[in-house]
């Protein structure tokens, strides 16, 4: 390890440590996702849309912990490429729902097979139980409860 790895800000700042790890993990997963034409964030969006059915943009943004403009920016190439479509909500025509097209469903299935390889590699390198615990921890950090406690300066 170099001196910078031993004494970087990530040793003292949780945000820097998580961002640094996320960049590396994103690169490793993107390498496995390969020449699919999609980045990890786009695959995550397709998977979340598929899991949620036809979420509104607002619900999808909240689930992805993104603001609406960032979501819109990330959805644009998926819409352009015919993987996702935006449709008016039947009850509130101002709201848009996000739906996978047939091509989007096929791409999500294809990408899931590649993702399984990346996830198996992660579990092998990190340990399956530690991996599950890490996801639970990160899920809590991404939750509204954590955000509220953080903003109020509360302890867990």
């Amino acid at each position: 390890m170099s001196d910078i790895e031993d004494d970087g800000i990530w040793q003292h700042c949780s945000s820097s440590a998580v961002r640094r790890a996320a960049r590396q993990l994103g690169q490793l997963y993107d390498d496995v996702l390969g020449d699919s034409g999609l980045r990890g964030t786009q695959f995550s969006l397709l998977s979340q849309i598929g899991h949620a059915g036809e979420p509104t943009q607002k619900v999808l943004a909240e689930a992805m912990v993104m603001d609406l403009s960032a979501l819109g920016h990330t959805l644009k190439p998926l819409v352009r490429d015919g993987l996702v479509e935006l449709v008016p909500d039947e009850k509130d025509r101002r709201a848009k729902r996000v739906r996978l097209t047939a091509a989007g469903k096929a791409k999500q299935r294809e990408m899931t097979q590649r993702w399984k390889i990346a996830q198996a590699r992660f579990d092998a390198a990190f340990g399956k139980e530690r991996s599950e615990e890490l996801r639970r921890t990160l899920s809590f950090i991404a939750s509204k409860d954590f955000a509220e406690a953080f903003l109020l300066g509360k302890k867990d």
Side-chain angles (χ1 to χ4, degrees):
M1 263 194 218
S2 71
D3 289 341
I4 195 162
E5 288 174 347
D6 288 339
D7 195 31
I9 189 169
W10 39 87
Q11 297 298 322
H12 311 284
C13 175
S14 297
S15 179
S16 294
V18 168
R19 287 174 188 263
R20 180 174 185 248
R23 281 191 298 274
Q24 171 147 309
L25 198 55
Q27 291 167 5
L28 293 170
Y29 272 61
D30 282 348
D31 286 347
V32 175
L33 295 178
D35 61 353
S36 65
L38 295 182
R39 307 281 299 165
T41 304
Q42 294 169 317
F43 169 63
S44 292
L45 267 175
L46 290 180
S47 296
Q48 184 63 35
I49 295 164
H51 174 75
E54 293 184 12
T56 63
Q57 286 180 295
K58 181 180 179 189
V59 166
L60 183 58
E62 288 172 358
M64 298 293 295
V65 191
M66 301 172 85
D67 62 45
L68 280 171
S69 64
L71 175 66
H73 178 76
T74 307
L75 283 173
K76 275 185 184 179
L78 299 175
V79 171
R80 178 197 66 218
D81 295 343
L83 302 175
V84 167
E85 58 188 355
L86 302 177
V87 295
D89 182 89
E90 290 180 13
K91 295 178 182 163
D92 181 356
R93 307 296 281 172
R94 296 169 297 172
K96 297 281 188 211
R97 291 197 169 270
V98 186
R99 174 177 19 193
L100 293 180
T101 63
K105 290 175 184 176
K107 180 61 93 171
Q108 199 274 332
R109 283 191 301 272
E110 169 200 336
M111 297 292 292
T112 296
Q113 296 309 307
R114 294 177 188 217
W115 167 83
K116 285 179 180 179
I117 294 167
Q119 189 61 42
R121 289 180 184 178
F122 184 92
D123 288 346
F126 194 66
K128 189 167 178 59
E129 289 178 11
R130 287 176 67 202
S131 176
E132 291 168 357
E133 178 61 29
L134 176 64
R135 286 191 300 277
R136 282 191 296 273
T137 300
L138 293 172
S139 181
F140 173 67
I141 292 170
S143 74
K144 287 182 180 180
D145 288 344
F146 177 82
E148 288 172 8
F150 181 92
L151 292 171
L152 295 173
K154 291 183 179 178
K155 285 187 182 180
D156 181 32

